Each structure stands twice: as structure tokens, then as C-alpha cells.
Amino acid sequence: MYQEAWKRMLEANHIVIVSHVHPDGDTLGSALALYDVLTRVGKKVTHYNTNNELPRVYDFLPGFAKTKHVLPKTFDLVVSCDCSTRDRLKLPKGDYEIINIDHHITNRYFGQMNLVVDRFTSAGMVVYELLKANEIEISKECAICLYTAIADDTGFFLYGDMDALTFSIVSHLVKCGANPQEIASKVKRREPLSKIRLYGYMLNHFDLHENGTIATIIFDKAALESTGAKRHDTKNIINMLRSIVNVTSAIMILEEKEGGYKVSLRSKDINVSQIALEYQGGGHKTAAGFEVPSCDPTVLRDEIVAKIKRITEV
Amino acid sequence: MYQEAWKRMLEANHIVIVSHVHPDGDTLGSALALYDVLTRVGKKVTHYNTNNELPRVYDFLPGFAKTKHVLPKTFDLVVSCDCSTRDRLKLPKGDYEIINIDHHITNRYFGQMNLVVDRFTSAGMVVYELLKANEIEISKECAICLYTAIADDTGFFLYGDMDALTFSIVSHLVKCGANPQEIASKVKRREPLSKIRLYGYMLNHFDLHENGTIATIIFDKAALESTGAKRHDTKNIINMLRSIVNVTSAIMILEEKEGGYKVSLRSKDINVSQIALEYQGGGHKTAAGFEVPSCDPTVLRDEIVAKIKRITEV
């Protein structure tokens, strides 16, 4: 399958590599690694992302600045990276040929070819295996992209089912020129002051329920405004509440600018995805989420706390 | 050297393995890995640590509960792990034979044998190489100890000069049974509530200087009391201030129970160890510290800020 996919890429005239909406390090790293490799072999390639503003912490990735936010007029192959459903690519309708490279267990197999390996912790690992299977040399630039992809999707080796293969790939990427400390510094040590202030707000306003086993925080519009934080500054900050010793699950409720609320659920081992499903959301066992229209956020919070309590008691 | 050291251990009648004062994951993991291996080959071994209370987050390490805080009456070999000076072993004076296993560049070579590899990011890597050189099989228990040692000393792969060897060793340890996610969960997701509240205090009381390039926080006794935090809860929390995008260095000043202040300096690339040296302290380029007797902490802070400013302007 890896050979076939590579052959198809070499045959294409103009390849559009697509990273998903609200991109993270895995989708960008995987896409830009492929961008590096394919331009090196002389292919015409465009990296497309629908968001005009990409997260700045990934600006060190080779090729980052060449990302296009408008599709080229013609192209004959789409390669999708780290995307489980076609709608998150934000491509206009059309009869594209798609190679779908992903690792989500929920992947919909929307491509003509689907390189989906759900035991991998990141799409970056799939791209690595694709290159290895075709004996493609990994440049320093490509190694930086793939290291970032693999590290980012595990919170830098904290979450997910990392196995011996994960680390042997990482070891090889470091040999090829990826600098772990430099990459960590770029991704993890460039927090905006607004995000730090949002942490401060959270740590002074969170609540504990059920004997301190459930932690909750509500961010209304005013909270975000008072700290200067943007919506993406809320990303992952709930993990700090989950890290408290007696806390088994944490809930973040975020008031959206355009109305309604976004809810993030995290647990240590309770299956919170089943709660998300009840609200037409989704996710993984220990990290899930959903969106709801306008409501009283404290009522919503108490409702979710009760649901978690019920699961815990089973 | 690795062969000789192992031979000497096999010849000894009773080996005392020592981890250093205020132990971290590297010293405990290295010591307990050796403890596992040597007891398996039938040696009489004691793991000794001077502190009666070990950090609870390492309680999952196999052998942790067997740690002794009193030395056995007789023993004929000491193996020191992750310790740069003899005084941090807290051994009574005596003519012990010592095998000194370490990775600090400042190691004083106080042993009769010194297995000091300063290009390694952790003592755990030295222990691994010792086992490998002697073709010792790595049990699951040993792998858990060594994974923790290596991960902990790099802040779980964020700091230090991690190279391809680091990750290839880690890959092998995972193959031998270390579970990266479980270990991260034990070490990183059991924060006491007091530490979370101390973070909250810090994020609501820190100051910025020099156009936001220097972040400072003073913890007086009242701050610790108001949050319920203990001294060891302050460990590493200053890293969060250093992670702010424009911050190049961060200063934490902590009032000690017994009087005086402990100062921690962190930077992104400025050499703060030279400032620590001026106050008879020490450390590394980007992480250093020192202690001072009673003083006005705000005066001290302004003094250090001025010194950092001077270095930055050079």
C-alpha cells in the first residue's frame, strides 16, 4: 500500500497536500514533511490549509511560510494528513482523487487510497513508514517536521499508546537532524502572556465536586476578555486540572463568541467519550468534547458532573 | 570500565546503593534499577537514602518501598547514583570503596571507580550502558526504573541534549516492558492541590521587568501558608514563567522556614549560572540557584534583574 501510494504521488502533475482545520503539530508536521520530500524529487506541490492564520508556535517548521490558503486552479491529487473526515479538509466539492493518511480510529476512509494505521499515535508515524517503505532519504527538514508531528500528538511523550516503534522512529529522526530540545523550545516555550493569565484565571476560579474528584471551570466571554486570551489559548489548559492527584475527570465550559458553549472533557481513565456522544460530540476515552447552543453553563456543568458521578459509581 | 565495575559488584558481599538527598527520578530510578538487577543475581543489596520521606510520585518504582534510611552495620561496597559530590550521599565518614555512577559535568570523581559520562542526559543512561556492556537482561521492573530515570531528568524529553542514543535506549526499555503513558501518569499527574493553588498564586502575583523579558515571583512564608503549599511544591513551577513567549529569564525567590531565601534562576539561553556563582551558588547555564541570608527580597530581586539586564546588554 505504501509503495502504491508513493507511485501515485510520483505520477501526479500537481499534488495538493491538505492539513486539517485548526491545525496542530501532527497535521502540519506530516503535511510539511511530505511537502519537503515531494518538492525534493521535483514534484509540483502545494500545501493547503483553510485557516488564514496558522498557530505561530509551528512557524519553525520548514515550509511553514509556503502554506497556501487558497487552492490552486488545477491539481490532480489530494493528500490528506491527520484528518478523520473529509469535511475537516474544507475542500470544495469535486471529484478529487484523495490519498488519506491518518491514525484516528474514527477515520471514515474517504480516500481512494487510505493509509490509516490506528495503532500509531500520530499521522507523522504513518508518513515515516511511507518514506521508509519507499527507501526515501529523510532530510534534516523532513526530520524536524516528523519529530514535531510525533511529539506534538502525544503532548511530547506524555499521552497515547507510545510503543518501542514510536521511540525507535524518533531516535532515527534525531539522527537525521531533528533537535528535540530546540523543537520543544519552539512549541512549548512560546506561550502568549494572555494564555498565562488565563491559567491564572482558571486556577483562581475552578471548582471541585464529589469530594474533589471532579474539577470544573467555566470561561465566559468576560473571563477571556479580562485576560486578553483568545479561544485557542484555552487549548489543553484543562490538563492542569486533570493533573491534580485526586481528580479523576475535568470539565471545561467555554462560551463561544458567536453564542453557545464548547465543552471539553478530560479524565484519567473514566470513559468520557460516552458523555460527549450523548450531546452529539465525540473523541477518545480520556479526552472528548461537544458543543451546545445557548444555555445556563452552571446547569450544564452540574448535569455533566452528575453523569460522571453515575459512570464512576457503576 | 563497565566490565570492571560489574565484576567488582559481583565480588562484593553487601552492596549499598545510594541515591542523593532530595531525590529525583533519575537518582531513584538508577539506584532501583541496579537494586533490581543485583538482587536478581543473588547479591545482598541495600538501597539507602538519607531522607525519611521520599517524593510520593515515584512510589510506583519497583523496590521503592524497600528503601532504607539507616545504613546497614556492615557493607563492603557503595554504589552512588546521579550524585556529583560525596557530601550529597550523606554517608558517615569512613573508608568505603565507592563506585560513582553519574552524568554531571561537575562530578568530583570521588569514587575508586568513576563511571561518569557527562554527555548523557541522565545517570539512568549510564546504568543502561553498564548493563548492556555486561549483557545483563533487562527485566520489566528494571525497565520501568530506567525509563523513569531518563525521562525525569529531561522533564520528560523537553530539556537537555537528547540525542539518537537517548531515544534508542528508551525504545529498548519500552520493548522490555516500561509503559510510557503509565509512568508519565504517575510522575506528572499526581499534583497536590496545594501545588495547583501555588501556581494560581504565582500567576496572579508575578511581575514583569525590562519590557516583559524578565519574569519574577516572590514566595514569602504567608504565600505558602495561604495555599497550603510545602517547599517542594515550588519545584519547577518557575518553568511556567520562563515559557512565556517574550520572557528570556525568570527568577523565583522563596522565603525559607528557617530564615533566609532560596533563589532559583531560569533562562532560555542567557548564562544565569554566572549570577548564581556571584552569590556562591551553582548550576547549569539555563538553570541555576543560590541561597542568601535574611534580606529584603524585593531589593534582592531588583539586584538580580539588573545583573541579568547587564548580561543581556553585553
Side-chain angles (χ1 to χ4, degrees):
Chain A
M1 191 180 60
Y2 287 134
Q3 273 88 359
E4 265 176 77
W6 180 246
K7 188 162 165 275
R8 183 62 199 100
M9 289 183 209
L10 292 185
E11 283 165 2
N13 288 314
H14 188 167
I15 306 168
V16 171
I17 303 174
V18 189
S19 47
H20 63 65
V21 287
H22 303 306
D24 59 14
D26 191 17
T27 192
L28 289 175
S30 299
L32 291 170
L34 273 178
Y35 181 85
D36 176 81
V37 166
L38 288 166
T39 49
R40 268 174 214 275
V41 297
K43 300 306 298 179
K44 190 168 181 191
V45 195
T46 299
H47 169 223
Y48 169 77
N49 187 285
T50 187
N51 295 98
N52 282 314
E53 214 179 317
L54 302 179
R56 279 209 324 170
V57 293
Y58 304 116
D59 63 6
F60 68 95
L61 291 175
F64 180 89
K66 289 182 185 152
T67 302
K68 304 283 184 213
H69 309 288
V70 175
L71 278 172
K73 280 192 186 131
T74 59
F75 53 94
D76 56 341
L77 179 64
V78 165
V79 180
S80 153
C81 290
D82 188 43
C83 198
S84 52
T85 57
R86 195 183 149 146
D87 63 299
R88 298 191 77 217
L89 300 174
K90 302 292 174 192
L91 288 175
K93 283 189 178 171
D95 198 14
Y96 313 121
E97 184 180 345
I98 299 180
I99 298 179
N100 164 17
I101 296 179
D102 191 30
H103 70 116
H104 291 95
I105 200 165
T106 49
N107 191 286
R108 301 280 176 81
Y109 288 73
F110 54 84
Q112 275 68 46
M113 281 190 207
N114 299 284
L115 278 56
V116 180
V117 188
D118 61 29
R119 70 175 186 281
F120 284 178
T121 55
S122 53
M125 285 177 75
V126 186
V127 172
Y128 178 90
E129 292 294 316
L130 168 72
L131 301 182
K132 194 180 145 203
N134 290 286
E135 297 176 7
I136 313 294
E137 212 191 329
I138 293 178
S139 67
K140 183 179 173 178
E141 288 73 16
C142 179
I144 292 169
C145 292
L146 289 181
Y147 184 99
T148 305
I150 295 171
D152 198 71
D153 238 28
T154 56
F156 280 73
F157 312 109
L158 296 182
Y159 304 97
D161 293 321
M162 291 151 289
D163 57 6
L165 178 65
T166 313
F167 288 106
S168 87
I169 291 175
V170 165
S171 175
H172 185 220
L173 295 173
V174 174
K175 201 176 264 171
C176 294
N179 183 322
Q181 192 177 11
E182 259 179 46
I183 292 171
S185 186
K186 298 289 187 188
V187 178
K188 308 273 291 180
R189 282 165 234 157
R190 295 197 288 171
E191 302 285 21
L193 194 55
S194 55
K195 183 169 181 175
I196 297 296
R197 297 213 186 280
L198 192 67
Y199 265 114
Y201 179 93
M202 178 176 81
L203 297 180
N204 285 276
H205 291 84
F206 73 95
D207 288 303
L208 290 170
H209 315 255
E210 300 300 323
N211 292 319
T213 58
I214 303 173
T216 65
I217 179 71
I218 297 172
F219 293 118
D220 56 19
K221 283 180 200 166
L224 260 67
E225 271 163 28
S226 71
T227 57
K230 301 262 172 65
R231 187 185 187 277
H232 62 251
D233 290 330
T234 63
K235 189 190 163 194
N236 288 334
I237 78 171
I238 192 180
N239 289 340
M240 194 169 203
L241 297 185
R242 175 175 54 176
S243 76
I244 300 170
V245 60
N246 294 324
V247 167
T248 59
S249 42
I251 305 166
M252 179 182 88
I253 300 179
L254 173 70
E255 188 177 5
E256 299 275 20
K257 246 187 190 164
E258 56 277 13
Y261 291 87
K262 181 189 164 227
V263 179
S264 299
L265 307 174
R266 294 288 184 278
S267 81
K268 276 180 179 139
D269 51 20
I270 296 162
N271 185 2
V272 287
S273 74
Q274 67 184 86
I275 295 173
L277 277 174
E278 288 182 41
Y279 294 92
Q280 281 72 54
H284 307 278
K285 186 185 168 199
T286 60
F290 60 91
E291 280 155 33
V292 290
S294 190
C295 67
D296 179 339
T298 60
V299 172
L300 176 63
R301 177 198 61 200
D302 296 343
E303 198 174 277
I304 304 168
V305 166
K307 282 179 197 288
I308 292 177
K309 192 186 166 200
R310 220 169 303 140
I311 296 177
T312 319
E313 283 169 354
V314 169
Chain B
M1 189 179 60
Y2 286 134
Q3 273 88 359
E4 266 177 77
W6 181 247
K7 187 162 167 275
R8 183 62 199 97
M9 291 183 208
L10 292 185
E11 283 164 4
N13 288 313
H14 188 166
I15 307 168
V16 172
I17 304 173
V18 190
S19 48
H20 63 64
V21 288
H22 302 306
D24 59 14
D26 191 17
T27 193
L28 290 175
S30 300
L32 292 170
L34 272 178
Y35 181 85
D36 175 82
V37 166
L38 288 166
T39 48
R40 265 173 216 275
V41 298
K43 300 305 300 180
K44 190 168 181 190
V45 196
T46 299
H47 169 224
Y48 169 77
N49 187 286
T50 187
N51 295 98
N52 283 316
E53 214 181 316
L54 302 180
R56 278 205 328 166
V57 292
Y58 304 116
D59 63 7
F60 68 96
L61 291 175
F64 180 89
K66 291 182 185 151
T67 302
K68 304 283 183 212
H69 308 289
V70 176
L71 277 171
K73 279 191 185 133
T74 59
F75 54 92
D76 57 341
L77 179 63
V78 166
V79 180
S80 155
C81 290
D82 190 43
C83 197
S84 52
T85 59
R86 196 185 148 143
D87 64 297
R88 300 190 76 217
L89 299 175
K90 301 291 173 194
L91 289 175
K93 282 188 181 173
D95 198 14
Y96 312 121
E97 185 179 345
I98 299 179
I99 297 178
N100 165 17
I101 296 179
D102 191 30
H103 71 115
H104 291 96
I105 200 165
T106 50
N107 191 286
R108 301 281 175 79
Y109 287 73
F110 54 83
Q112 276 68 46
M113 278 189 210
N114 299 284
L115 277 56
V116 179
V117 188
D118 61 27
R119 71 175 184 283
F120 284 177
T121 54
S122 55
M125 285 177 75
V126 186
V127 173
Y128 178 90
E129 291 294 316
L130 167 72
L131 302 181
K132 194 181 144 200
N134 291 285
E135 295 175 7
I136 315 293
E137 212 190 327
I138 293 178
S139 68
K140 184 180 173 177
E141 289 74 15
C142 180
I144 291 169
C145 292
L146 290 180
Y147 184 98
T148 305
I150 295 171
D152 198 71
D153 238 29
T154 56
F156 280 73
F157 312 109
L158 295 182
Y159 305 97
D161 292 323
M162 291 150 290
D163 56 7
L165 178 65
T166 313
F167 289 106
S168 87
I169 291 175
V170 165
S171 174
H172 185 220
L173 295 172
V174 174
K175 202 176 266 171
C176 294
N179 184 322
Q181 191 177 11
E182 258 179 48
I183 294 172
S185 186
K186 297 290 187 190
V187 178
K188 308 273 291 180
R189 280 166 236 157
R190 294 197 289 171
E191 303 285 22
L193 195 54
S194 54
K195 185 167 179 176
I196 297 296
R197 297 215 186 277
L198 192 67
Y199 265 114
Y201 180 92
M202 179 175 82
L203 297 181
N204 286 276
H205 291 83
F206 73 96
D207 287 304
L208 291 170
H209 315 254
E210 301 298 325
N211 291 320
T213 58
I214 304 173
T216 66
I217 179 71
I218 298 173
F219 292 118
D220 56 19
K221 283 179 200 166
L224 260 67
E225 273 163 28
S226 71
T227 57
K230 302 264 171 64
R231 186 185 189 277
H232 63 249
D233 289 331
T234 63
K235 189 189 163 195
N236 289 334
I237 77 171
I238 191 181
N239 287 341
M240 194 169 201
L241 297 185
R242 175 174 55 174
S243 75
I244 300 170
V245 60
N246 294 320
V247 167
T248 58
S249 42
I251 305 166
M252 179 184 86
I253 300 179
L254 173 69
E255 188 176 4
E256 298 276 20
K257 247 187 189 164
E258 58 276 14
Y261 291 87
K262 179 188 165 230
V263 179
S264 299
L265 306 174
R266 294 287 184 281
S267 80
K268 275 182 180 138
D269 51 20
I270 295 162
N271 185 1
V272 288
S273 74
Q274 67 184 84
I275 295 173
L277 278 173
E278 288 181 41
Y279 294 92
Q280 280 73 54
H284 305 277
K285 189 186 165 198
T286 60
F290 61 91
E291 280 155 31
V292 290
S294 189
C295 67
D296 178 337
T298 60
V299 172
L300 176 63
R301 177 198 61 198
D302 294 345
E303 199 174 274
I304 305 168
V305 167
K307 283 181 197 288
I308 292 176
K309 192 185 165 200
R310 221 171 301 139
I311 296 175
T312 319
E313 283 169 353
V314 168

